[in-house]
Amino acid sequence: MDKNHQMWQDLGMDLETHDQLCEALPAAFGDVFLTSNDSPDTMDYFYAVAADIHGLRPAELVEEQKKGRKIFGTFCVFVPDEVILASDGIVTGLCGGSQFWVPEGETVLPANTCPLIKASVGARLGRTCPFFRIADMFVGETTCDGKKKAYEILGEDVPMHIMHLPHGKRPQDMQAWSDEIRLFMDQAGELTGKPATLETLNDSIRIMNEKRRALARLYECRKNENVPISGRDALLIMQIAFFDDPERLTAQVNRVCDELEQRIADGKSVAAKDAPRILITGTPLAVPNWKIHNIIESSGAVVVCEENCTGTRYFTHEVAEDNKSVEEAIDALTDRYLGNINCACFTPNPGRADDIVRLAKEYDVDGVIDLNLKFCNLYDTEGYLVERRLSDEGIPVLGLETDYTDSDAEQLRTRVEAFLEMIAD
Ligand code: BJ8
């Protein structure tokens, strides 16, 4: 038995079913990523991580667990990584992005639940994802109804902490969220046995800000008229950012940025001069959901920005550093997380449409694709307001709904191609 299989067996995984996933993933990855010669050489690190996504990082996490460290699995960008790091914990993202896990999720969830939730629950219950087996604690949040209820089901199987997210940004909401952060800090410290201190909080804030700066630098490169990296490659970097060690990730992203800045200086672009520049907004694209980027970029356009949680919402706005007290650090986290992330779970949520319009201008896009996962009521409903605002601003927009299957790929391609033709006129 090879090392990975031994680890998966020790984690109590369903090896036979998991092998089916391992067989399908390399082909899917190869189809999307290994068909272009234009990828930066420095993508080598991210390709290596993706090629062994259930082996490399899980093995590291297991090693850390053996040393006594605790792993926290999260599902949403509202959960502050800083709190976990400050208690000597390790964070791993858990959002499921594959159709492979959906049927298992449907055994306990209504079929009209969004695929992200079904895949996440299916990955845990079906014992086919090592990250879901390794995490010592899952950290949920009260964003959408589907997630809230799914956490009750997951909570029967694994220790679960829920952060109660207010759905507004009024002063009383800010107070409520800072209370939630404090509560979570206590829980995290209890689990790891190493409660956060002012010093560890300030250190973890600095580490996460450095990661945010590296990702912002990557996105800055994508604004250039010569696009130095494909949307597919940029998306893969973002997806891996949810799993990887933050300091290593920062170093690797900066390595890519060095190469991209050289490409910009050399006038090198991965896209044709007249390729339409597209911004994607909407629900997150959890790994390995590469479908829409692949369709857009194999239709002659290039994705230059994602206004979603696997895009700008993940890294925009830093947390104030060098806080003088734990209370001040909690306030700084509250401001960054509740004050600045514009998820459709808020009502009202005008900041998101403002963000999209601003980003559309900054990235000089020719059109916006508002892409939402099927059965996501929040983003689907907000789509009406977002698309109307974009039309008012004279920015072409196409609304699309999809799931994790490939059954709609051709239909999506037809609609994307028609949109690209329309904005080329
Ligand atoms: S901050 S976008 S990561 S909640 S797609 S599960 S909303 S039904 S993912 Fe999200 Fe946090 Fe908001 Fe971002 Fe529900 Fe919609 Fe599914 Fe969603």
Side-chain angles (χ1 to χ4, degrees):
M1 191 178 275
D2 65 33
K3 259 167 69 185
N4 277 350
H5 276 85
Q6 188 60 56
M7 171 176 70
W8 297 331
Q9 187 174 63
D10 295 345
L11 288 170
M13 289 174 59
D14 174 348
L15 291 187
E16 210 175 303
T17 311
H18 184 247
D19 277 350
Q20 293 167 19
L21 178 61
C22 292
E23 269 165 39
L25 261 183
F29 177 75
D31 287 349
V32 177
F33 290 99
L34 305 181
T35 48
S36 146
N37 301 323
D38 277 343
S39 292
D41 294 339
T42 45
M43 280 302 293
D44 56 355
Y45 171 76
F46 296 95
Y47 287 175
V49 172
D52 192 15
I53 198 151
H54 281 184
L56 274 179
R57 183 65 175 149
E60 281 184 352
L61 297 179
V62 168
E63 279 310 304
E64 291 302 318
Q65 264 178 331
K66 284 182 190 156
K67 294 179 203 156
R69 295 186 72 191
K70 301 293 179 192
I71 317 296
F72 294 74
T74 62
F75 299 87
C76 176
V77 300
F78 279 113
V79 176
D81 289 3
E82 289 88 342
V83 168
I84 298 169
L85 300 186
S87 301
D88 197 37
I90 301 176
V91 191
T92 183
L94 287 181
C95 287
S98 168
Q99 175 62 23
F100 185 83
W101 294 308
V102 168
E104 187 73 36
E106 285 178 342
T107 61
V108 293
L109 294 169
N112 62 354
T113 304
C114 99
L116 189 148
I117 300 173
K118 288 191 286 200
S120 302
V121 170
R124 169 69 201 185
L125 300 187
R127 298 180 292 116
T128 44
C129 175
F131 293 100
F132 278 83
R133 304 299 303 168
I134 292 169
D136 297 288
M137 175 184 272
F138 287 12
V139 189
E141 78 305 319
T142 53
T143 43
C144 67
D145 288 351
K147 277 181 165 184
K148 279 192 286 196
K149 302 317 283 182
Y151 293 145
E152 292 177 25
I153 297 172
L154 283 174
E156 292 186 332
D157 201 41
V158 71
M160 167 77 74
H161 176 81
I162 303 286
M163 297 188 78
H164 286 256
L165 184 85
H167 291 166
K169 300 185 183 191
R170 303 161 304 171
Q172 58 269 45
D173 298 319
M174 301 299 277
Q175 183 56 51
W177 189 237
S178 95
D179 290 345
E180 284 297 317
I181 292 178
R182 200 170 294 105
L183 210 64
F184 178 46
M185 202 173 280
D186 292 345
Q187 282 277 310
E190 211 168 284
L191 183 67
T192 62
K194 292 187 179 172
T197 64
L198 177 61
E199 200 187 342
T200 61
L201 271 172
N202 275 333
D203 281 351
S204 65
I205 288 171
R206 188 186 38 74
I207 289 169
M208 291 307 298
N209 278 346
E210 279 169 7
K211 176 172 160 178
R212 290 186 184 107
R213 270 174 226 134
L215 295 171
R217 186 180 163 204
L218 170 71
Y219 270 59
E220 199 57 37
C221 292
R222 302 173 75 193
K223 290 180 182 171
N224 199 273
E225 59 176 323
N226 290 313
V227 187
I229 185 168
S230 67
R232 283 173 278 202
D233 281 338
L235 175 63
L236 185 67
I237 292 175
M238 292 304 299
Q239 291 172 331
I240 288 174
F242 283 81
F243 297 85
D244 208 354
D245 171 76
E247 287 173 293
R248 181 174 55 206
L249 189 279
T250 300
Q252 290 296 338
V253 175
N254 278 323
R255 192 172 151 251
V256 173
C257 292
D258 289 344
E259 186 177 353
L260 299 189
E261 286 165 4
Q262 187 58 52
R263 282 183 165 199
I264 289 170
D266 296 342
K268 182 172 166 47
S269 179
V270 297
K273 263 256 162 297
D274 57 351
R277 299 167 65 95
I278 300 295
L279 179 149
I280 291 180
T281 183
T283 49
L285 298 161
V287 72
N289 184 3
W290 306 305
K291 181 164 67 174
I292 197 69
H293 279 64
N294 196 29
I295 288 173
I296 293 169
E297 296 197 329
S298 58
S299 301
V302 59
V303 179
V304 292
C305 181
E306 297 82 11
E307 188 284 322
N308 61 25
C309 288
T310 40
T312 55
R313 267 182 251 146
Y314 184 52
F315 63 77
T316 309
H317 300 288
E318 295 181 11
V319 179
E321 296 185 8
D322 299 324
N323 297 287
K324 302 283 178 285
S325 66
V326 169
E327 284 312 305
E328 202 178 300
I330 291 174
D331 286 346
L333 291 168
T334 305
D335 283 347
R336 192 268 161 188
Y337 282 86
L338 193 72
N340 285 306
I341 299 173
N342 294 319
C343 172
C345 65
F346 291 115
T347 185
N349 187 35
R352 180 162 161 246
D354 291 344
D355 286 344
I356 301 167
V357 170
R358 177 179 49 80
L359 292 168
K361 291 177 182 159
E362 286 178 8
Y363 287 77
D364 192 22
V365 305
D366 298 296
V368 171
I369 293 187
D370 180 20
L371 178 77
N372 293 312
L373 286 171
K374 214 167 177 177
F375 305 123
C376 177
N377 215 11
L378 286 176
Y379 279 85
D380 197 12
T381 308
E382 191 165 278
Y384 168 73
L385 298 168
V386 163
E387 290 170 31
R388 189 180 66 189
R389 171 74 188 281
L390 288 170
S391 299
D392 289 349
E393 298 276 346
I395 301 168
V397 55
L398 171 70
L400 293 177
E401 192 182 65
T402 187
D403 56 19
Y404 288 168
T405 67
D406 276 329
S407 59
D408 62 353
E410 282 318 303
Q411 197 197 351
L412 288 174
R413 183 177 292 282
T414 305
R415 295 197 59 199
V416 166
E417 284 174 354
F419 180 64
L420 296 179
E421 249 174 58
M422 195 261 292
I423 59 181
D425 290 341

